[in-house]
Structures are given as C-alpha cells and as structure tokens.
Amino acid sequence: MWRLIDLGWTDTLAAALTAEEDQTLVPGRVSLEHNHVYRVLVEGGECLAEAAGRIKYLASGRSELPGVGDWVGVRLDSSGGRAVIRAILPRRGWFSRKAAGRETEEQVVAANVDTVLIVFGLDKPVNARSIERYLVVARQSRAAPVIVLNKADLAEDRAADVAEATAVAGDAPVHAVSTHEPASMRALEPYLLAGHTLALLGPSGAGKSSIVNQLVGRELLATGDVREWDARGRHTSVHRQLVVRAEGGLIIDTPGMRELQLWDTDSAVGDAFADIAELAAGCRFRDCLHDREPGCAVKAAVEAGELDAGRYESYLKLQHEQAATRRLRDEKALLDAKRQGKIGSKAYKALQKQRQR
Ligand code: GDP
Ligand code: ZN
C-alpha cells in the first residue's frame, strides 16, 4: 500500500494544496486517463474521477486539463460515486504533444517526470542526430535525461558505441544495457528512488516495453481498496499508465509518450547545443541565425572543421521546426483573442498582415 510520499508528494505541493480555496480537497496523482475519466492514486488507494466543470470551462487548451503524472486536489464522493478533480497543482515540468487532428493544441502526455530514459537499440548504429533531437524534447520537459543504449548483447563494440553517444550527450549519463542480461539493468536502479518518477522515450523497437517489464516485473505495489470498473460499471482490469514499484520509484508509460513531437522548445534547442550557443557569442550580429548571415562564428567553426557539419545541420533543422511551431501557435493565439472579443476584426487583420511580413 502506498503513501503519498511514495508517489512523490513534496512540501511544495502540500503548500500549493493548502493555498486552494476549498480546504476539503484530498491530494492525489493521476495514473490513467481514458475518455476524460481519470484514475487517481490517493493515500492508500485510488479512485475514479472527473475534472470539475470549472477546470474544463476555464481550460483554453488541453494542456490545462489534468494529464497522467499530474498532482491534483480531488473531492471524494462518500457515496462511492466518481470523485471530482477540483484543482491541478503546479507542474514542475511536462511532456506534451500536438493533440491529434489539431495542429497547434498542446496535450500533456506525462507530467512531473524526474528522469527520462532515452532508449535506443544497439542493433542499429548510434545516431547522434537522433540523440540530440530527443535531448531537446527532454530538456523542455525539465526531466533529467539519461541515454540508454539497449540491446548491448547485439553490439559489436559497446565501448565505442557508448563513446559515440557520450560525445553528443552533454551532461546526460550514458548506459549500455540489455534486457537479456538482467545484471546490466542494475545500472538503471539509481533512477528509481522512492517517490522518483521515471519515463521512457525513444524510437519504436528500441526496447522500451521490455525495459519497463524488467524494471517493474511483478513487483507492483498493491492498491488498498481498489474498485475497478469501466464507464458502464463492468468489472475490468486496466493497464496503468503510471505504476508504483514495490521497491520504490514510479514509471510513466503512456501511449502519448511514443508519439512525441517537438512542441515549443523555446530555449531548449539552445540548451541541448551548448557548444553552438558558446560559438554564437562570437557572431557579428547578436540575432544571428547562423544560416546565411555574414560574420557568423558558428559557420566559420564548421568550415574550419571545429564543429561537426552534421551537428550544425541538425541544429538548424530543429531551429526551423521550432520557429514554424511557434508561428502556428501565435496564429492560434490571435484567433482565440479575436473569438473572445479581446481584439476586433480590424485589429486582427492588421496583426495578421504584420505577422505575414
Ligand atoms: P519498444 O517499441 O521500444 O517498446 O520495444 P520493445 O520492448 O517492444 O522491443 C522490441 C524488440 O526488441 C522485441 O522483439 C524485444 O524482444 C527486443 N529486445 C528488447 N530488449 C532487447 C535486448 O536487450 N536485446 C535484444 N537482442 N533484443 C531486445
Ligand atoms: Zn552566427
């Protein structure tokens, strides 16, 4: 049976809950979302809950609705009905993706992740560009990235692969493991401390499910008085998207994590390319895009062979993608403002014109 502390409860969260107007709320952590019904872990058990009308009404996008991993304040229903999520406590960080079908709407797929394992399979050559890309996503979520090179049993030269990944990993640790060699998996144990939340990211087929199975095994912490039923009241067993290990630590494994795209990386691209940011200090123009600008120190470094051309191209590509997403989002914000009557048609058209320039 879990206690709040096993789920990652902190003093900061406690203070945030105390600050809520409604003093009857019970703290809980969202472990599953399905058709707007949430499974919420509370002290010693769990309940099914729905988001309060106020939360749904005030949410301007899906990122303001509860997501797996979120800490929430719920009002329990003493007669055994659904509980109501009345507050979402501040997130420390989150992974999001563009909601299906809506290009610019952000959907939270995992919140409050401490460590993200970025998993690759050594059945394929180490792909530095791919590592960089995932690192950008990780930094944006505020989770500490760890590079896991799985399927080490298939590697020709583990040490060389680790070295290659380490060269682009920045301060992220790199581990070569194999789910076929259980002893190697112990390298990941330090990331599963009590109350610590882990998530996995990486290309399909890299072995994420296999790793989760190894880390979780059968050692799931049993819930207290669990009532499992679906929307029609039938008894059902569900695959949890946030699991609590008996040995300590939590693992988030949501389908959404498998389809992540870059959302708003803001400074994240720069963070993942600290070497380029450093070179950029020598560019002639402060707002240099390191593309075709004269006096660009970054391009000079590529030409002098001091900066890998592939890394440079990867950087440019991510920058462009980030800018494109931001433009789409700005467009949506403008449209929203117009719909809500915050700006009139004339102002809207003028701003739109300005944007297109
Ligand atoms: P996911 O798509 O990232 O969740 O990958 P899966 O966990 O489904 O694994 C994809 C395939 O790789 C499966 O056939 C696994 O059995 C296999 N696999 C997973 N880990 C290892 C490993 O360490 N070594 C080898 N040789 N195969 C592995
Ligand atoms: Zn430059």
Side-chain angles (χ1 to χ4, degrees):
M1 180 101 70
W2 51 69
R3 300 159 300 163
L4 281 182
I5 195 129
D6 300 320
L7 305 179
W9 186 242
T10 61
D11 290 344
T12 313
L13 289 163
L17 186 63
T18 308
E20 286 293 322
E21 204 175 305
D22 186 342
Q23 290 292 306
T24 66
L25 300 184
V26 169
R29 194 157 185 209
V30 176
S31 69
L32 184 102
E33 189 263 312
H34 184 68
N35 281 342
H36 301 289
V37 178
Y38 302 88
R39 193 165 282 268
V40 180
L41 309 181
V42 294
E43 175 99 25
E46 60 184 345
C47 60
L48 287 179
E50 277 169 55
R54 191 175 52 95
I55 288 184
K56 288 191 271 193
Y57 177 74
L58 290 177
S60 68
R62 292 182 66 171
S63 65
E64 288 166 44
L65 292 175
V68 172
D70 260 332
W71 279 98
V72 294
V74 291
R75 181 180 286 165
L76 297 174
D77 185 323
S78 53
S79 58
R82 288 220 178 111
V84 178
I85 297 175
R86 296 188 60 89
I88 303 174
L89 303 183
R91 296 174 182 133
R92 212 181 41 252
W94 66 91
F95 286 91
S96 62
R97 65 168 180 178
K98 294 166 198 171
R102 301 200 191 175
E103 274 179 332
T104 62
E105 197 163 314
E106 182 185 16
Q107 180 186 3
V108 173
V109 296
N112 300 312
V113 175
D114 295 295
T115 303
V116 60
L117 302 184
I118 306 177
V119 184
F120 299 93
L122 287 182
D123 51 337
K124 300 197 177 116
V126 170
N127 183 338
R129 302 294 84 84
S130 184
I131 293 177
E132 285 160 350
R133 223 184 145 78
Y134 279 107
L135 280 172
V136 170
V137 177
R139 305 243 180 242
Q140 171 199 357
S141 78
R142 304 234 181 152
V146 172
I147 309 290
V148 176
L149 304 177
N150 184 38
K151 309 196 191 184
D153 54 302
L154 300 178
E156 271 166 35
D157 187 345
R158 283 184 200 202
D161 288 339
V162 169
E164 215 172 307
T166 304
V168 289
D171 52 6
V174 179
H175 300 284
V177 304
S178 166
T179 58
H180 296 182
E181 298 166 9
S184 73
M185 301 297 293
R186 272 186 223 133
L188 305 181
E189 289 289 330
Y191 306 111
L192 281 158
L193 306 172
H196 205 85
T197 306
L198 194 77
L200 293 89
L201 198 62
S204 118
K208 296 180 296 296
S209 314
S210 311
I211 290 175
V212 169
N213 289 341
Q214 286 267 326
L215 294 177
V216 176
R218 269 170 223 282
E219 307 306 315
L220 283 186
L221 213 50
T223 61
D225 180 26
V226 186
R227 298 181 195 196
E228 309 235 11
W229 72 90
D230 67 11
R232 294 203 192 88
R234 288 178 307 198
H235 195 81
T236 174
S237 74
V238 280
H239 169 71
R240 285 178 186 75
Q241 295 173 344
L242 178 146
V243 299
V244 193
R245 295 200 328 153
E247 310 95 317
L250 302 107
I251 300 178
I252 294 186
D253 182 22
T254 65
M257 283 293 282
R258 290 159 190 258
E259 300 148 34
L260 280 186
Q261 291 181 50
L262 287 180
W263 176 250
D264 174 19
T265 41
D266 282 338
S267 66
V269 171
D271 289 353
F273 291 86
D275 50 346
I276 292 183
E278 212 167 286
L279 286 169
C283 294
R284 184 180 309 161
F285 300 110
R286 224 167 58 95
D287 58 353
C288 181
L289 296 171
H290 323 307
D291 203 352
R292 287 183 204 96
E293 293 78 2
C296 173
V298 177
K299 273 206 95 171
V302 176
E303 275 150 24
E306 286 154 17
L307 175 66
D308 180 62
R311 183 167 171 79
Y312 167 70
E313 273 154 28
S314 166
Y315 171 83
L316 282 187
K317 189 153 173 273
L318 286 166
Q319 288 280 31
H320 286 147
E321 221 166 285
Q322 175 181 307
T325 308
R326 200 179 290 147
R327 273 196 303 275
L328 276 173
R329 204 182 48 164
D330 287 352
E331 188 68 35
K332 177 176 183 290
L334 200 56
L335 215 65
D336 280 352
K338 178 169 169 270
R339 282 206 196 101
Q340 291 163 10
K342 286 181 191 158
I343 55 172
S345 292
K346 228 174 178 173
Y348 171 72
K349 278 190 193 132
L351 283 164
Q352 209 181 24
K353 214 167 187 179
Q354 196 181 327
R355 170 146 305 130
Q356 280 158 0
R357 253 188 265 135

